[in-house]
Amino acid sequence: MISIYLCDDDDAVRHQIQTALEWKIFVENYDMKVICSAASAQELLDAVEQGGQGVYFLDVELKDGEWDGFRLGRELRRRDPRSTLVYITSYGDLAWRTFQYHLEAFDYIVKGAEPIGPPAARCLDEIHARLLAERQAPTEMFTLRTGDIVRHVPLRDILFFET
């Protein structure tokens, strides 16, 4: 099961995102669960210590003295290097900071005129598809070197070998 964590200091936004994610998980029958919906970074970090690889929906600007979403993302990356980070914020012009902190964010959703739940649910679709693709067996390849050129050909595409 994939654990989903949510951290936003705005109760209404957090509830809207959680409801949309839980509905999407129910409708699509994903092997996922919202484990924690926290208002503070410390509350989220306390819950993460009990879990494994996760998907994190984080607000950029938390009303927390020492934590913001980017610092929280860095700490989550330290604890869970294979985690998936999705940022949700009112500040569309701060997306570049995910690169500054080397966070490798999966998505950066800007709160705007439309409700925030549907974009978060669509994001969950893509995350689920990628996680399924990761679990598939790797394709066996035949590697051929000719001079300086190296070619990799899937074995399923080869009908026969001839000398």
Side-chain angles (χ1 to χ4, degrees):
M1 180 179 70
I2 303 298
S3 301
I4 298 175
Y5 301 89
L6 176 60
C7 187
D8 195 312
D9 54 0
D10 185 337
D11 292 336
V13 171
R14 191 173 66 251
H15 178 71
Q16 184 181 19
I17 295 168
Q18 182 177 354
T19 302
L21 294 176
E22 288 173 342
W23 179 251
K24 187 68 169 180
I25 291 167
F26 174 74
V27 168
E28 300 293 339
N29 196 25
Y30 290 154
D31 188 22
M32 299 177 169
K33 183 178 180 183
V34 177
I35 300 295
C36 177
S37 179
S40 71
Q42 193 57 53
E43 184 182 348
L44 180 83
L45 290 171
D46 291 343
V48 170
E49 290 182 280
Q50 302 159 359
Q53 179 184 4
V55 177
Y56 302 91
F57 289 84
L58 307 173
D59 187 12
V60 169
E61 187 170 62
L62 299 170
K63 292 176 179 65
D64 189 340
E66 66 179 275
W67 292 97
D68 68 359
F70 299 120
R71 182 161 181 249
L72 178 58
R74 189 184 310 176
E75 177 63 21
L76 291 169
R77 277 275 180 246
R78 188 185 67 73
R79 293 181 183 199
D80 183 3
R82 296 190 59 215
S83 63
T84 302
L85 302 177
V86 177
Y87 281 98
I88 300 173
T89 185
S90 300
Y91 304 101
D93 57 339
L94 293 179
W96 63 273
R97 290 190 62 196
T98 61
F99 295 105
Q100 180 183 6
Y101 286 98
H102 306 286
L103 294 173
E104 299 176 21
F106 183 81
D107 203 350
Y108 195 88
I109 301 171
V110 179
K111 299 173 191 174
E114 73 172 312
I116 199 70
R122 283 192 302 272
C123 193
L124 204 58
D125 281 334
E126 185 63 30
I127 291 169
H128 184 261
R130 287 190 185 192
L131 291 174
L132 283 179
E134 277 183 14
R135 291 181 182 167
Q136 291 180 352
T139 304
E140 292 186 73
M141 304 291 261
F142 176 73
T143 304
L144 173 68
R145 169 173 260 165
T146 307
D148 291 339
I149 300 172
V150 177
R151 295 193 64 199
H152 303 285
V153 181
L155 284 179
R156 68 175 178 267
D157 293 347
I158 300 173
L159 300 177
F160 61 91
F161 290 96
E162 184 177 312
T163 60

